[in-house]
Structures are given as C-alpha cells and as structure tokens.
Amino acid sequence: MPEITIPARPHPVTWELGQTALIVIDMQKDFLYPDGYGALLGNDTELLLRTVAPIQAVLAAARKLGMFVVHTREGHPADLSDCPPTKLTRWPPGNRIGDPGPMGRILVQGEWGHGIIDEVAPLPGEIVLDKPGKNAFYRTPLDEMLRERGIQNLLVAGVTTDVCCFATVIAANDRGFNALVLEDCVASYSPERHTAALETIVAQGGIFGWVSDSAALLAGLENLDADER
Ligand code: TIU
C-alpha cells in the first residue's frame, strides 16, 4: 500500500493511503448561501465560498485514488426529535433550527437549504452522514465506518473551521484517529476564529492534529504517482 508524505504543521505526516479518508463537513446551502442558517445567526456567508475550488480539487484527487470519502450534513428530522432543546432555545424564535427560511425550514433534513451545494455534491455511492451535532462522530456510524475499513487518518475539509471541523477534529483525536486539516478547504465566518482554531489544533506539538493545505496534499499525491511509475 503506497504511503504519502504531506508537509504539514507542526511536522510532516507520512500516512498509508489505504488508511486515510477524506471527510467533507457540512458543505450545505444553509451554511454557504446568503439565506440560510449561517446568515440567520448574523454571519457573512461569502467568507465560506473560497473553500469550493480547493475542495473540488481534493475531491477529484481522492476519487481518482479510490480513497474513502465521507460527506456530512448537519440537520434534524422534521419533528426535530434529535435536536436538544439547548440547540434551539439559545436563539430567539425566527432564528431557530426548524424555523421557516427562504430555503425551507432551517437545518431540517429534506429541505433545500439542508442539501450539499452542487459544486461539491457527493457522487452516487459516496457516504453522506446526517449528524445532529457539530462533531461528526456524535450519534452517527462514522467511527464504525472508519474502523471497519482500517482507516486511521482523516483529511478534513468543509465548514466551519471553528465549529463543526474543530469539534470533529477534537473528537477524532479522543477516538484514536489522526486528523489533518486542509486550511484552504475549511473556512469560518470569522477569519480570526479560523486562525485561532487551526493554531489550537497544531499547538503543543500537534495537540489535536495537523494543518496543511490542498497544494501540499496534491503535490504529495503527484510525487506518489511519479514514484509508482
Ligand atoms: N455556526 C457555525 O459556524 N457552524 C455551525 O453551526 N455548523 C457547522 O460548522 N457545520
């Protein structure tokens, strides 16, 4: 099984490709488009769109290699039965999950706004995990899916850096998975919080994982192609 070396902070990683998966977190209209949940919380959704082109490039490379790709969506069934009250009542009525919005009910499964944007749409056969929490392991089969495929390493893309990506990286670390965040493939509604989350991940010698970018990953994969020839 080929190995890939990726320059990263705080130090490079060398991972077996067969033990490595790509997780694309919550690239949903509700977060990226101007009329969804992100905007309702007072955020500038425009800041997230710069992730689209690098995620497309990384997805294309991962698919070419046959890497395990997982997409996630944050949301709840129409009756909000798995949405903890704390996730609803922290905001005024009208700004809550389940409230009507221009793209359908906010973060409700099956509504238009809950869907993944077309630019990074899952291919038929790729796993799409619906998650009720910020962390992608919480009340999902992600842990089992990774273990049954022998996956130990996660390449992390998606939104937002400081919320669902950060929560997932922290959970991955506690569950014994390595996580490397591709910094141009993640974005936050706040550039300051984006930087702070990434710095926290790599602090203390990589306390939660690693940070690199799509160019470094893609260059590593090209070297691999050359080595294999
Ligand atoms: N609000 C915010 O930054 N993010 C979320 O609520 N969910 C995700 O990050 N997916």
Side-chain angles (χ1 to χ4, degrees):
M1 187 66 72
E3 287 185 336
I4 179 180
T5 296
I6 310 169
R9 292 188 292 138
H11 41 70
V13 297
T14 298
W15 286 348
E16 292 242 355
L17 270 184
Q19 296 176 347
T20 304
L22 171 65
I23 182 164
V24 185
I25 296 176
D26 300 0
M27 288 294 285
Q28 294 162 261
K29 300 176 184 100
D30 261 329
F31 293 116
L32 286 121
Y33 287 175
D35 291 324
Y37 182 55
L40 215 64
L41 297 180
N43 299 303
D44 177 4
T45 58
E46 192 67 27
L47 289 163
L48 306 192
L49 290 172
R50 67 165 178 75
T51 60
V52 169
I55 292 177
Q56 286 174 325
V58 168
L59 268 174
R63 285 166 175 160
K64 195 171 149 206
L65 285 162
M67 194 181 280
F68 184 52
V69 176
V70 181
H71 306 259
T72 68
R73 297 183 297 206
E74 182 178 351
H76 305 275
D79 63 1
L80 306 183
S81 53
D82 65 5
C83 186
T86 49
K87 206 178 164 185
L88 289 174
T89 57
R90 213 172 300 155
W91 293 276
N95 278 14
R96 291 180 179 170
I97 293 168
D99 285 347
M103 300 192 299
R105 291 179 65 202
I106 300 295
L107 283 192
V108 168
Q109 292 161 8
E111 300 287 344
W112 196 74
H114 175 261
I116 294 175
I117 62 169
D118 292 343
E119 293 89 331
V120 297
L123 289 184
E126 286 178 350
I127 302 282
V128 181
L129 283 182
D130 282 316
K131 63 186 186 63
K134 305 302 185 193
N135 141 28
F137 290 92
Y138 178 65
R139 294 180 75 175
T140 75
L142 179 59
D143 189 294
E144 296 89 313
M145 281 181 171
L146 298 176
R147 283 183 208 284
E148 70 194 15
R149 289 167 175 82
I151 287 165
Q152 295 175 0
N153 313 309
L154 295 175
L155 298 167
V156 179
V159 298
T160 60
T161 318
D162 51 318
V163 181
C164 290
C165 299
F166 193 55
T168 299
V169 168
I170 292 169
N173 177 65
D174 283 343
R175 287 166 182 266
F177 297 100
N178 294 315
L180 181 149
V181 180
L182 298 165
E183 63 183 320
D184 54 335
C185 298
V186 295
S188 167
Y189 297 121
S190 149
E192 292 77 20
R193 291 199 306 274
H194 170 84
T195 302
L198 297 179
E199 291 311 312
T200 303
I201 289 166
V202 301
Q204 304 180 60
I207 195 75
F208 292 121
W210 290 264
V211 172
S212 186
D213 60 24
S214 63
L217 172 68
L218 298 174
L221 293 175
E222 265 170 36
N223 290 341
L224 184 81
D225 285 350
D227 292 347
E228 299 283 294
R229 267 185 249 131

